[in-house]
């Protein structure tokens, strides 16, 4: 007997995705749209989210009369911008049900050289930025007693990586924010969960891991012996946003090709084939 797809049906739902112009944010927005949701793509660079929204809108129905994906300029470092983006979603689609906090930046430098400004900058985007958007949307969710917040954490929320201390601390903080909101806001009908992607080449990390010794060592430690793709993260987002996860609250799902499970296994180092 085929499994019903209704558990993952997001028809009638509206999602706001920060960092929606590229990478994991765009992939998650695409998957939500493909499961019936309408999406608002938020990003600091308006032209980038405009281009992404145009691409995603083409995936909607053939009538072309009503958009299913729209862009909004959103700087998660600004309270006013976060509130304006939520209002825009409400005004455009008449509701809001899902928020994905995917906006992020990277800082790679030896920890001895790390400054307080570096740390504060990443915290302001990742943690405080996610809080700003969650609070702005949370007022709507509390009033309707329904809403799903999904925070994009990282594999570095669980383990250390050299020379990305500020990023790792910020992403660990995303897990703490997820736990706190899940505990405090569940009584308002709001579920808060997270996703911890493994190594997915995106605009902020591609030069660090593709074709580098760092990337080789990552693959050596990944049982599936490859990097992931944004679309492989998006399935977890659909699940967490959908009725299938109606009793799931306060968890962060690693999607990492087995990286966290890796111990001593078969070598996948490039030099193995030469022996």
């Amino acid at each position: 007997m085929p499994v019903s797809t209704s558990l993952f049906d997001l028809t009638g739902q509206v999602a706001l995705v920060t960092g929606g112009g590229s990478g994991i944010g765009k992939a998650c927005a695409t998957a939500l749209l493909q499961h019936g949701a309408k999406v608002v793509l938020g990003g600091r660079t308006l032209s980038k989210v405009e281009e992404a929204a145009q691409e995603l809108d083409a995936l909607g129905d053939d009538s072309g009369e009503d958009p299913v994906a729209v862009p909004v300029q959103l700087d998660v470092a600004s309270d006013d911008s976060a509130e304006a983006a939520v209002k825009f979603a409400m005004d455009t689609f008449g509701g809001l049900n899902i928020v994905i906090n995917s906006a992020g930046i990277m800082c790679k430098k030896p920890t001895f050289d790390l400054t307080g400004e570096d740390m504060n900058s990443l915290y302001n985007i990742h943690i405080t930025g996610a809080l700003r958007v969650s609070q702005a949307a949370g007022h709507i969710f509390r009033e309707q007693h329904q809403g799903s917040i999904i925070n994009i954490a990282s594999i570095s929320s669980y383990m250390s990586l050299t020379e990305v201390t500020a990023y790792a601390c910020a992403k660990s903080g995303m897990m703490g924010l997820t736990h706190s909101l899940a505990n405090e806001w569940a009584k308002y009908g709001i579920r808060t969960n997270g996703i911890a992607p493994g190594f997915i080449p995106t605009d902020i990390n591609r030069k660090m891991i593709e074709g580098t010794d760092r990337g080789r060592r990552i693959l050596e430690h990944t049982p599936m012996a490859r990097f992931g793709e944004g679309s492989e993260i998006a399935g977890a987002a659909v699940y967490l946003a959908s009725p299938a996860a109606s009793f799931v609250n306060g968890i962060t799902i690693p999607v990492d090709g087995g990286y966290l499970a890796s111990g001593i296994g078969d070598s996948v180092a490039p030099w193995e084939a030469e022996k």
Side-chain angles (χ1 to χ4, degrees):
M1 178 181 297
V3 177
S4 171
T5 59
S6 61
L7 277 175
F8 303 98
D9 185 10
L10 298 174
T11 301
Q13 303 286 292
V14 178
L16 170 62
V17 182
T18 76
S22 63
I24 290 172
K26 181 181 176 184
C28 288
T30 302
L32 295 183
L33 187 150
Q34 291 171 331
H35 283 76
K38 296 179 179 180
V39 296
V40 178
L41 306 178
R44 284 186 298 178
T45 304
L46 183 58
S47 60
K48 194 171 185 177
V49 287
E50 285 177 335
E51 182 179 349
Q54 184 176 10
E55 180 183 334
L56 266 63
D57 195 53
L59 301 176
D61 61 57
D62 296 331
S63 67
E65 295 178 0
D66 298 312
V68 292
V70 295
V72 65
Q73 190 166 31
L74 170 57
D75 180 2
V76 299
S78 162
D79 292 339
D80 291 343
S81 185
E83 292 171 4
V86 168
K87 183 178 185 301
F88 175 81
M90 294 292 294
D91 291 344
T92 302
F93 290 129
L96 184 63
N97 312 94
I98 303 160
V99 162
I100 297 183
N101 288 308
S102 183
I105 58 175
M106 177 61 74
C107 175
K108 182 181 182 298
K109 63 171 60 176
T111 304
F112 271 123
D113 299 333
L114 200 63
T115 67
E117 184 178 352
D118 293 329
M119 293 290 288
N120 292 338
S121 178
L122 268 77
Y123 269 61
N124 194 32
I125 297 298
H126 291 271
I127 302 176
T128 315
L131 176 62
R132 288 185 183 98
V133 176
S134 296
Q135 285 177 324
H139 292 298
I140 305 299
F141 294 168
R142 178 170 58 179
E143 183 176 339
Q144 65 197 22
H145 203 76
Q146 184 273 329
S148 174
I149 298 170
I150 301 169
N151 294 323
I152 303 300
S154 167
I155 203 70
S156 64
S157 302
Y158 291 91
M159 35 70 68
S160 65
L161 301 170
T162 59
E163 298 189 347
V164 289
T165 298
Y167 182 82
C169 288
K171 287 301 191 181
S172 296
M174 289 286 277
M175 286 183 63
L177 178 65
T178 298
H179 293 157
S180 296
L181 297 187
N183 186 36
E184 189 173 339
W185 288 3
K187 62 187 176 185
Y188 303 124
I190 303 170
R191 294 185 302 107
T192 308
N193 294 291
I195 303 170
F199 294 93
I200 315 293
T202 64
D203 291 347
I204 69 171
N205 70 357
R206 194 179 309 276
K207 291 182 179 179
M208 292 169 54
I209 64 175
E210 285 191 338
T212 66
D213 184 64
R214 187 184 187 94
R216 179 195 60 76
R217 286 180 283 136
I218 288 169
L219 296 181
E220 175 72 12
H221 199 77
T222 303
M224 292 185 71
R226 65 176 176 85
F227 297 126
E229 299 179 3
S231 59
E232 295 177 303
I233 308 302
V238 171
Y239 165 66
L240 291 173
S242 75
S246 60
F247 197 54
V248 179
N249 187 42
I251 59 93
T252 298
I253 302 175
V255 184
D256 66 352
Y259 191 92
L260 288 177
S262 177
I264 302 300
D266 296 331
S267 177
V268 294
W271 56 82
E272 274 301 296
E274 300 174 4
K275 293 183 178 180

